[in-house]
Amino acid sequence: MENQKIKHAGSLAGLVMTSLALLFGSMQANAATYTLTVEPNYPTAQAQEVYKPLLGYLSKSTGHTFVLKIAPNYHVHWRDMRGKAKVDFTFEEAHFTDYRAKRQRMIPLVRVVEPTKYTLLISDEMASGGVQGLIGHRITSMSSPSLGYLLLGEIYQNPIAQPEIKSFAANLKDGVEMIFAGESDGAMVPSYIADQYSNLQPAMVTREMPGRALSAHEDVPADVRKAVSNAMLKLHLDNNLYDVISEIGTAKFVPTNAAAYAGSERLLSAAYGYAPPRYATSAPAKPATAPAPKPKP
């Protein structure tokens, strides 16, 4: 009798182990690898370090694997975007988010809670001249078509009254460091970075844009999109990811949609290679009704 109990227990344990193995195997079979494309605001190696905890968090939260995809600079990022290079998820500013939503079937899922603003920082010595005082002087920015660079174009619209824009910053803080080193007179940076430098003066702050968004391609299964959205909405609750969310420059993520970004891509009209969407270049529609006949004399 005792032997039968032992045999039964052994069979039950074997059944449980087999079921767990099948379940684990099924989970592995259903797991997929997705790319997260981000703007080149850091050198590639530094970006891998910055986003590594976030990628690990998403992988753990969803059961899928996430890998970072980043171009070496904005020129390549923009070229790949125009060429419709395959992307799964993107984390980008409003002008890119709107562009992809309209042309590449990308779905904005969540965004940083804060709107995006850029601040033109200057040293105390340059403060008295303000924005106009920088004409002919050096300003550092990420290269075109980064949002900061394009917003500078809205400030300085006169082609013969422009600062010298140095657009070879390797990361968002390079311009600030160049001010301290005497290599630049101003730096165009996101306001969340500008707020970290109380020893510099804001020459101006740009208009607000919708905050940076995480978008997913339509081809990503709906359940995966939902799992990623849920994970990002809980990101601020994970103390282990404080450095990630701090580096991103937000307090938390909130839900969003394509309508929130409609029209933002117009900024890209100043970028090399931009073509307006087809609906914006189509011929005007004919009147729905024929014009009324002219009265007889």
Side-chain angles (χ1 to χ4, degrees):
M1 187 69 176
E2 190 68 27
N3 288 339
Q4 288 182 339
K5 289 183 178 179
I6 293 173
K7 185 177 180 180
H8 178 71
S11 299
L12 183 60
L15 181 61
V16 171
M17 293 299 293
T18 301
S19 299
L20 289 174
L22 289 173
L23 177 61
F24 183 70
S26 176
M27 291 174 62
Q28 285 186 316
N30 292 329
T33 298
Y34 296 102
T35 57
L36 172 62
T37 299
V38 299
E39 294 186 41
N41 288 327
Y42 303 94
T44 303
Q46 185 181 358
Q48 292 288 350
E49 289 300 315
V50 168
Y51 286 99
K52 183 178 179 180
L54 176 61
L55 299 175
Y57 168 76
L58 287 175
S59 298
K60 181 179 178 181
S61 300
T62 65
H64 301 284
T65 300
F66 289 81
V67 295
L68 191 69
K69 186 177 180 181
I70 183 170
N73 53 58
Y74 271 98
H75 299 302
V76 177
H77 186 78
W78 177 227
R79 181 202 67 191
D80 290 348
M81 192 181 306
R82 300 197 324 271
K84 299 181 179 179
K86 183 181 182 300
V87 294
D88 297 320
F89 292 89
T90 59
F91 180 53
E92 296 173 315
E93 292 282 15
H95 58 323
F96 292 144
T97 298
D98 188 32
Y99 184 94
R100 290 192 192 269
K102 285 187 171 66
R103 302 162 188 256
Q104 298 176 5
R105 299 186 294 126
M106 296 295 290
I107 304 171
L109 303 176
V110 297
R111 64 170 175 82
V112 297
V113 66
E114 304 87 357
T116 293
K117 296 182 293 183
Y118 269 72
T119 299
L120 181 53
L121 284 179
I122 54 178
S123 64
D124 288 340
E125 292 75 14
M126 297 293 299
S128 60
V131 170
Q132 295 304 310
L134 287 167
I135 293 174
H137 290 268
R138 299 163 296 179
I139 294 178
T140 304
S141 166
M142 301 298 290
S143 61
S144 178
S146 68
L147 185 56
Y149 187 97
L150 296 178
L151 289 173
L152 268 176
E154 288 189 341
I155 301 170
Y156 297 102
Q157 297 185 11
N158 186 340
I160 61 173
Q162 299 253 348
E164 177 189 350
I165 301 176
K166 302 166 73 70
S167 59
F168 48 76
N171 63 58
L172 290 172
K173 293 184 178 180
D174 264 6
V176 179
E177 299 304 321
M178 292 175 72
I179 294 177
F180 293 141
E183 300 172 355
S184 183
D185 300 306
M188 192 67 163
V189 297
S191 293
Y192 71 86
I193 289 180
D195 291 342
Q196 302 172 21
Y197 295 93
S198 58
N199 49 346
L200 293 175
Q201 301 296 320
M204 63 84 60
V205 178
T206 68
R207 61 188 175 93
E208 291 186 352
M209 302 282 291
R212 292 157 289 159
L214 188 143
S215 303
H217 196 275
E218 276 187 3
D219 288 345
V220 175
D223 62 320
V224 178
R225 300 198 304 262
K226 181 65 174 177
V228 169
S229 294
N230 290 340
M232 294 302 292
L233 294 174
K234 297 175 183 176
L235 178 62
H236 63 289
L237 302 177
D238 190 331
N239 292 330
N240 295 324
L241 292 174
Y242 173 79
D243 289 343
V244 173
I245 208 163
S246 175
E247 192 72 47
I248 290 174
T250 186
K252 63 179 181 179
F253 283 81
V254 295
T256 194
N257 54 47
Y261 295 87
S264 297
E265 82 155 65
R266 282 195 293 266
L267 267 173
L268 287 166
S269 62
Y272 171 81
Y274 174 81
R278 291 178 182 176
Y279 62 78
T281 57
S282 57
K286 293 182 179 180
T289 57
K294 294 181 180 180
K296 294 181 180 180

